[in-house]
mmCIF file of all heavy atoms in Angstrom:
data_model
loop_
_atom_site.group_PDB
_atom_site.id
_atom_site.type_symbol
_atom_site.label_atom_id
_atom_site.label_comp_id
_atom_site.label_asym_id
_atom_site.label_seq_id
_atom_site.Cartn_x
_atom_site.Cartn_y
_atom_site.Cartn_z
ATOM 1 N N THR B 27 27.253 24.362 -23.009
ATOM 2 C CA THR B 27 28.693 24.804 -22.875
ATOM 3 C C THR B 27 28.718 26.217 -23.228
ATOM 4 O O THR B 27 28.139 26.712 -24.235
ATOM 5 C CB THR B 27 29.605 23.966 -23.706
ATOM 6 O OG1 THR B 27 29.494 22.603 -23.349
ATOM 7 C CG2 THR B 27 31.013 24.442 -23.470
ATOM 8 N N ALA B 28 29.423 27.025 -22.379
ATOM 9 C CA ALA B 28 29.596 28.487 -22.787
ATOM 10 C C ALA B 28 30.976 28.939 -22.182
ATOM 11 O O ALA B 28 31.603 28.188 -21.458
ATOM 12 C CB ALA B 28 28.518 29.263 -22.157
ATOM 13 N N VAL B 29 31.365 30.110 -22.625
ATOM 14 C CA VAL B 29 32.662 30.679 -22.219
ATOM 15 C C VAL B 29 32.496 31.700 -21.109
ATOM 16 O O VAL B 29 31.446 32.276 -21.023
ATOM 17 C CB VAL B 29 33.530 31.242 -23.414
ATOM 18 C CG1 VAL B 29 33.844 30.184 -24.391
ATOM 19 C CG2 VAL B 29 32.731 32.381 -23.943
ATOM 20 N N GLU B 30 33.543 31.776 -20.368
ATOM 21 C CA GLU B 30 33.558 32.839 -19.217
ATOM 22 C C GLU B 30 33.193 34.202 -19.744
ATOM 23 O O GLU B 30 33.625 34.579 -20.846
ATOM 24 C CB GLU B 30 35.005 32.935 -18.622
ATOM 25 C CG GLU B 30 35.095 32.817 -17.181
ATOM 26 C CD GLU B 30 36.469 32.760 -16.620
ATOM 27 O OE1 GLU B 30 37.416 32.408 -17.415
ATOM 28 O OE2 GLU B 30 36.650 33.046 -15.424
ATOM 29 N N GLY B 31 32.311 34.851 -19.048
ATOM 30 C CA GLY B 31 31.927 36.138 -19.404
ATOM 31 C C GLY B 31 30.761 36.264 -20.307
ATOM 32 O O GLY B 31 30.146 37.294 -20.489
ATOM 33 N N ALA B 32 30.370 35.164 -20.838
ATOM 34 C CA ALA B 32 29.208 35.130 -21.752
ATOM 35 C C ALA B 32 27.884 35.055 -21.033
ATOM 36 O O ALA B 32 27.802 35.044 -19.811
ATOM 37 C CB ALA B 32 29.370 33.913 -22.714
ATOM 38 N N ILE B 33 26.796 34.931 -21.864
ATOM 39 C CA ILE B 33 25.509 34.830 -21.314
ATOM 40 C C ILE B 33 24.895 33.456 -21.830
ATOM 41 O O ILE B 33 25.130 33.130 -22.973
ATOM 42 C CB ILE B 33 24.508 35.952 -21.825
ATOM 43 C CG1 ILE B 33 25.021 37.345 -21.345
ATOM 44 C CG2 ILE B 33 23.107 35.735 -21.300
ATOM 45 C CD1 ILE B 33 24.291 38.506 -21.939
ATOM 46 N N VAL B 34 24.252 32.765 -20.893
ATOM 47 C CA VAL B 34 23.652 31.505 -21.342
ATOM 48 C C VAL B 34 22.195 31.382 -20.819
ATOM 49 O O VAL B 34 21.920 31.928 -19.814
ATOM 50 C CB VAL B 34 24.567 30.262 -20.838
ATOM 51 C CG1 VAL B 34 24.368 30.139 -19.408
ATOM 52 C CG2 VAL B 34 24.101 29.014 -21.582
ATOM 53 N N ARG B 75 23.243 38.155 -11.057
ATOM 54 C CA ARG B 75 23.640 37.721 -12.452
ATOM 55 C C ARG B 75 22.590 36.781 -12.987
ATOM 56 O O ARG B 75 22.649 36.475 -14.251
ATOM 57 C CB ARG B 75 25.014 37.096 -12.417
ATOM 58 C CG ARG B 75 26.157 37.951 -11.976
ATOM 59 C CD ARG B 75 27.415 37.378 -12.181
ATOM 60 N NE ARG B 75 27.650 36.178 -11.286
ATOM 61 C CZ ARG B 75 27.797 34.931 -11.697
ATOM 62 N NH1 ARG B 75 27.698 34.598 -13.059
ATOM 63 N NH2 ARG B 75 27.945 33.950 -10.841
ATOM 64 N N LEU B 90 18.424 32.506 -17.064
ATOM 65 C CA LEU B 90 19.457 33.336 -17.808
ATOM 66 C C LEU B 90 20.601 33.608 -16.803
ATOM 67 O O LEU B 90 20.421 34.185 -15.686
ATOM 68 C CB LEU B 90 18.799 34.610 -18.318
ATOM 69 C CG LEU B 90 19.626 35.395 -19.320
ATOM 70 C CD1 LEU B 90 19.691 34.676 -20.678
ATOM 71 C CD2 LEU B 90 19.127 36.843 -19.430
ATOM 72 N N LEU B 91 21.806 33.175 -17.245
ATOM 73 C CA LEU B 91 22.967 33.436 -16.448
ATOM 74 C C LEU B 91 23.871 34.412 -17.204
ATOM 75 O O LEU B 91 24.277 34.118 -18.380
ATOM 76 C CB LEU B 91 23.708 32.177 -16.152
ATOM 77 C CG LEU B 91 23.050 31.087 -15.289
ATOM 78 C CD1 LEU B 91 22.186 30.119 -16.165
ATOM 79 C CD2 LEU B 91 24.092 30.232 -14.497
ATOM 80 N N GLN B 92 24.236 35.550 -16.602
ATOM 81 C CA GLN B 92 25.001 36.536 -17.239
ATOM 82 C C GLN B 92 26.378 36.624 -16.628
ATOM 83 O O GLN B 92 26.608 36.101 -15.504
ATOM 84 C CB GLN B 92 24.384 37.883 -17.087
ATOM 85 C CG GLN B 92 22.905 37.951 -17.654
ATOM 86 C CD GLN B 92 22.312 39.334 -17.669
ATOM 87 O OE1 GLN B 92 22.725 40.271 -18.311
ATOM 88 N NE2 GLN B 92 21.373 39.486 -16.693
ATOM 89 N N GLU B 93 27.282 37.146 -17.339
ATOM 90 C CA GLU B 93 28.703 37.291 -16.917
ATOM 91 C C GLU B 93 29.214 36.013 -16.267
ATOM 92 O O GLU B 93 29.658 35.935 -15.188
ATOM 93 C CB GLU B 93 28.764 38.371 -15.835
ATOM 94 C CG GLU B 93 28.428 39.770 -16.476
ATOM 95 C CD GLU B 93 28.302 40.808 -15.297
ATOM 96 O OE1 GLU B 93 28.852 40.623 -14.221
ATOM 97 O OE2 GLU B 93 27.534 41.798 -15.510
ATOM 98 N N LEU B 94 29.112 34.938 -17.061
ATOM 99 C CA LEU B 94 29.493 33.632 -16.635
ATOM 100 C C LEU B 94 30.882 33.543 -15.971
ATOM 101 O O LEU B 94 31.790 34.133 -16.395
ATOM 102 C CB LEU B 94 29.383 32.613 -17.688
ATOM 103 C CG LEU B 94 28.001 32.066 -18.133
ATOM 104 C CD1 LEU B 94 28.078 31.166 -19.333
ATOM 105 C CD2 LEU B 94 27.342 31.293 -16.928
ATOM 106 N N GLN B 95 30.876 32.797 -14.882
ATOM 107 C CA GLN B 95 32.164 32.572 -14.186
ATOM 108 C C GLN B 95 32.384 31.062 -14.090
ATOM 109 O O GLN B 95 31.415 30.291 -14.239
ATOM 110 C CB GLN B 95 32.072 33.128 -12.756
ATOM 111 C CG GLN B 95 31.826 34.603 -12.691
ATOM 112 C CD GLN B 95 31.541 35.163 -11.306
ATOM 113 O OE1 GLN B 95 31.783 34.495 -10.295
ATOM 114 N NE2 GLN B 95 31.100 36.473 -11.203
ATOM 115 N N MET B 96 33.628 30.682 -13.939
ATOM 116 C CA MET B 96 33.974 29.267 -13.838
ATOM 117 C C MET B 96 33.148 28.576 -12.760
ATOM 118 O O MET B 96 32.697 27.427 -12.954
ATOM 119 C CB MET B 96 35.405 29.080 -13.570
ATOM 120 C CG MET B 96 36.349 29.640 -14.694
ATOM 121 S SD MET B 96 36.148 28.764 -16.269
ATOM 122 C CE MET B 96 36.844 27.239 -15.900
ATOM 123 N N LYS B 97 32.915 29.225 -11.649
ATOM 124 C CA LYS B 97 32.227 28.603 -10.553
ATOM 125 C C LYS B 97 30.652 28.336 -10.834
ATOM 126 O O LYS B 97 30.056 27.594 -10.115
ATOM 127 C CB LYS B 97 32.277 29.479 -9.361
ATOM 128 C CG LYS B 97 31.462 30.849 -9.416
ATOM 129 C CD LYS B 97 31.577 31.674 -8.215
ATOM 130 C CE LYS B 97 30.809 32.852 -8.307
ATOM 131 N NZ LYS B 97 30.797 33.699 -7.059
ATOM 132 N N ASP B 98 30.192 28.835 -12.066
ATOM 133 C CA ASP B 98 28.814 28.602 -12.407
ATOM 134 C C ASP B 98 28.682 27.214 -13.019
ATOM 135 O O ASP B 98 27.554 26.754 -13.311
ATOM 136 C CB ASP B 98 28.329 29.598 -13.432
ATOM 137 C CG ASP B 98 28.273 31.028 -12.750
ATOM 138 O OD1 ASP B 98 27.990 31.118 -11.621
ATOM 139 O OD2 ASP B 98 28.575 31.954 -13.504
ATOM 140 N N SER B 99 29.829 26.516 -13.339
ATOM 141 C CA SER B 99 29.760 25.209 -13.897
ATOM 142 C C SER B 99 29.058 24.297 -12.837
ATOM 143 O O SER B 99 29.586 24.124 -11.717
ATOM 144 C CB SER B 99 31.097 24.676 -14.160
ATOM 145 O OG SER B 99 31.707 25.341 -15.194
ATOM 146 N N LEU B 121 25.865 22.536 -17.124
ATOM 147 C CA LEU B 121 26.482 23.696 -17.642
ATOM 148 C C LEU B 121 28.017 23.615 -17.430
ATOM 149 O O LEU B 121 28.518 23.429 -16.343
ATOM 150 C CB LEU B 121 25.961 24.936 -17.032
ATOM 151 C CG LEU B 121 26.667 26.267 -17.398
ATOM 152 C CD1 LEU B 121 26.514 26.570 -18.918
ATOM 153 C CD2 LEU B 121 26.201 27.490 -16.524
ATOM 154 N N SER B 122 28.704 23.718 -18.484
ATOM 155 C CA SER B 122 30.213 23.767 -18.448
ATOM 156 C C SER B 122 30.614 25.125 -18.958
ATOM 157 O O SER B 122 30.256 25.532 -20.072
ATOM 158 C CB SER B 122 30.804 22.687 -19.340
ATOM 159 O OG SER B 122 30.490 21.367 -18.977
ATOM 160 N N VAL B 123 31.434 25.782 -18.055
ATOM 161 C CA VAL B 123 31.910 27.158 -18.433
ATOM 162 C C VAL B 123 33.416 26.956 -18.713
ATOM 163 O O VAL B 123 34.189 26.425 -17.908
ATOM 164 C CB VAL B 123 31.684 28.154 -17.271
ATOM 165 C CG1 VAL B 123 32.263 29.445 -17.622
ATOM 166 C CG2 VAL B 123 30.222 28.214 -16.894
ATOM 167 N N LYS B 124 33.807 27.315 -19.971
ATOM 168 C CA LYS B 124 35.203 27.208 -20.334
ATOM 169 C C LYS B 124 35.844 28.567 -20.263
ATOM 170 O O LYS B 124 35.289 29.567 -20.484
ATOM 171 C CB LYS B 124 35.302 26.740 -21.820
ATOM 172 C CG LYS B 124 34.444 25.454 -22.095
ATOM 173 C CD LYS B 124 35.012 24.294 -21.363
ATOM 174 C CE LYS B 124 34.314 22.988 -21.780
ATOM 175 N NZ LYS B 124 34.797 21.781 -21.010
ATOM 176 N N PRO B 125 37.175 28.505 -19.997
ATOM 177 C CA PRO B 125 37.948 29.838 -19.956
ATOM 178 C C PRO B 125 38.018 30.477 -21.329
ATOM 179 O O PRO B 125 37.886 29.855 -22.367
ATOM 180 C CB PRO B 125 39.321 29.424 -19.458
ATOM 181 C CG PRO B 125 39.404 27.934 -19.466
ATOM 182 C CD PRO B 125 38.001 27.383 -19.760
#
Side-chain angles (χ1 to χ4, degrees):
Chain B
T27 301
V29 297
E30 228 176 342
I33 299 173
V34 72
R75 295 187 297 114
L90 190 74
L91 297 84
Q92 303 182 71
E93 299 172 22
L94 279 175
Q95 302 175 9
M96 297 296 289
K97 67 178 182 179
D98 296 329
S99 292
L121 171 65
S122 296
V123 181
K124 307 292 185 187

